[in-house]
Amino acid sequence: MIKKALLVLVGLALFAFILSKVNLKQVWAILQTANPWLCLAGFLSLVLMTFLKGVRWSYLLRMQGHSYSAWNCFLIYMGSLFWGNVTPGRAGDFMKVLYLKEDLGIPVGAGMTSVVVDRIFDLYLLLLLGSLGILLYPLGFNPQLVHLVWIFFGFLVLVSFLAFNRRIGEILIKAVFQRVMGPSLKEKANQAFGEFHQGMEAFFSFKLILPALLSLTSYLVFFEGSSWMAEAIGLQVNFFFLAFTLSVVNIVSLFSFLGMGTRDGALILLFGLIGLSQAQALAYSLLILFLGTLLFSLLCFFCFLAKPIRFKNPF
């Protein structure tokens, strides 16, 4: 709990520091020029992106033999995003497991498999796009970074093989379960691990190509919407560079509450490489904060109200 509180405080402190270093009058002047229709289009792209992720999760569940509509998955996805945004540590994903237990009777360990695989698609795609961006746009980066990126690619492949190998993966995943659930729930952790590993069997299939394509499509929609938001305040940013930038930003935003401080700093650094001012970068960051986090979280909250969780005996 203390670590989570520190993440909030560090993020807020970094955000306050950035605000003190940027000309806020220029930032406000830029925001006042925002095209409302492009902003709306960017906001709706976030909703469409999330719906496509709901379709992806519904398909993953179907691969395991469970029937859960894309609409239900979308509402749950939105609700989990709300709780993930308002709670430090982005714990909203665990809510999906509770929904599966309550609605479909899927044990916690087995339900966790589709949630983990679903999140892996997002994480891998962001890591790959971010790495490709460094290779395509080295700009002011140290040339040694290119070699490190290739090493990172190899590391991702190695970790993937280790995690999906039954013997090695069993050791790694079991350790995670025991650490997360604590020594007092060791027996439950072992049971959940067994269910999780059994649930993974359904995903050793070429049918994962469709979820991969849905992941790529959802992020292309997101990047296009983000480019509209950039255009709304007069920023001309190459689509592929913006995709690379937002991939990095989405990852670093995980380390602070609502991405405050980390998102702003990353945008100022990366946009500075293509000649955009700190005021322009901060204006874009604040637009993302308002539309992509605060307003979107409000919509997510209404989706949660449309399909609330009952929290009956989570284990």
Side-chain angles (χ1 to χ4, degrees), residues 120-142:
I120 286 175
F121 275 113
D122 287 339
L123 181 60
Y124 262 58
L125 189 61
L126 290 173
L127 289 173
L128 290 174
L129 289 174
S131 299
L132 285 173
I134 292 175
L135 296 176
L136 295 173
Y137 298 96
L139 299 170
F141 293 118
N142 189 315

Side-chain angles (χ1 to χ4, degrees), residues 149-159:
V149 169
W150 284 116
I151 294 173
F152 180 67
F153 269 121
F155 177 74
L156 281 180
V157 173
L158 177 62
V159 169

Side-chain angles (χ1 to χ4, degrees), residues 16-160:
F17 174 77
I18 291 172
L19 290 180
S20 70
K21 297 296 182 181
V22 179
N23 189 324
L24 297 181
K25 289 184 178 179
Q26 290 183 5
V27 173
W28 178 240
I30 294 171
L31 288 173
Q32 284 181 307
T33 66
N35 183 316
W37 295 110
L38 287 175
C39 289
L40 176 62
F43 177 79
L44 292 177
S45 74
L46 295 175
V47 180
L48 178 56
M49 173 196 188
T50 310
F51 180 75
L52 290 173
K53 288 186 177 184
V55 174
R56 178 185 66 191
W57 187 35
S58 177
Y59 182 83
L60 290 174
L61 288 169
R62 196 156 57 247
M63 287 181 66
Q64 292 184 301
H66 306 296
S67 178
Y68 213 30
S69 71
W71 180 249
N72 274 332
C73 289
F74 167 68
L75 290 178
I76 294 170
Y77 228 110
M78 293 287 280
S80 68
L81 286 174
F82 167 74
W83 289 109
N85 283 338
V86 301
T87 56
R90 307 295 179 92
D93 276 334
F94 187 66
M95 285 184 56
K96 298 176 186 174
V97 180
L98 299 182
Y99 274 105
L100 294 178
K101 187 176 187 301
E102 294 295 331
D103 291 353
L104 302 180
I106 302 175
V108 170
M112 203 174 291
T113 55
S114 65
V115 175
V116 170
V117 171
D118 183 73
R119 293 300 289 165
I120 286 175
F121 275 113
D122 287 339
L123 181 60
Y124 262 58
L125 189 61
L126 290 173
L127 289 173
L128 290 174
L129 289 174
S131 299
L132 285 173
I134 292 175
L135 296 176
L136 295 173
Y137 298 96
L139 299 170
F141 293 118
N142 189 315
Q144 294 294 327
L145 189 59
V146 174
H147 300 295
L148 292 176
V149 169
W150 284 116
I151 294 173
F152 180 67
F153 269 121
F155 177 74
L156 281 180
V157 173
L158 177 62
V159 169
S160 300

Side-chain angles (χ1 to χ4, degrees), residues 270-290:
L270 294 172
F271 276 3
L273 297 174
I274 57 173
L276 293 179
S277 68
Q278 291 183 346
Q280 289 174 310
L282 183 57
Y284 184 65
S285 182
L286 291 176
L287 194 62
I288 292 176
L289 174 63
F290 176 71

Side-chain angles (χ1 to χ4, degrees), residues 144-207:
Q144 294 294 327
L145 189 59
V146 174
H147 300 295
L148 292 176
V149 169
W150 284 116
I151 294 173
F152 180 67
F153 269 121
F155 177 74
L156 281 180
V157 173
L158 177 62
V159 169
S160 300
F161 278 116
L162 291 177
F164 282 89
N165 179 278
R166 185 171 183 83
R167 291 183 179 178
I168 300 175
E170 180 175 351
I171 298 173
L172 296 175
I173 300 170
K174 192 172 186 178
V176 172
F177 270 81
Q178 291 178 343
R179 181 173 178 81
V180 170
M181 300 182 75
S184 62
L185 294 172
K186 184 176 180 180
E187 185 177 340
K188 288 287 187 181
N190 291 336
Q191 179 185 343
F193 162 73
E195 295 165 351
F196 178 89
H197 212 66
Q198 185 177 2
M200 285 295 296
E201 296 294 335
F203 298 125
F204 293 95
S205 169
F206 284 108
K207 292 181 180 180

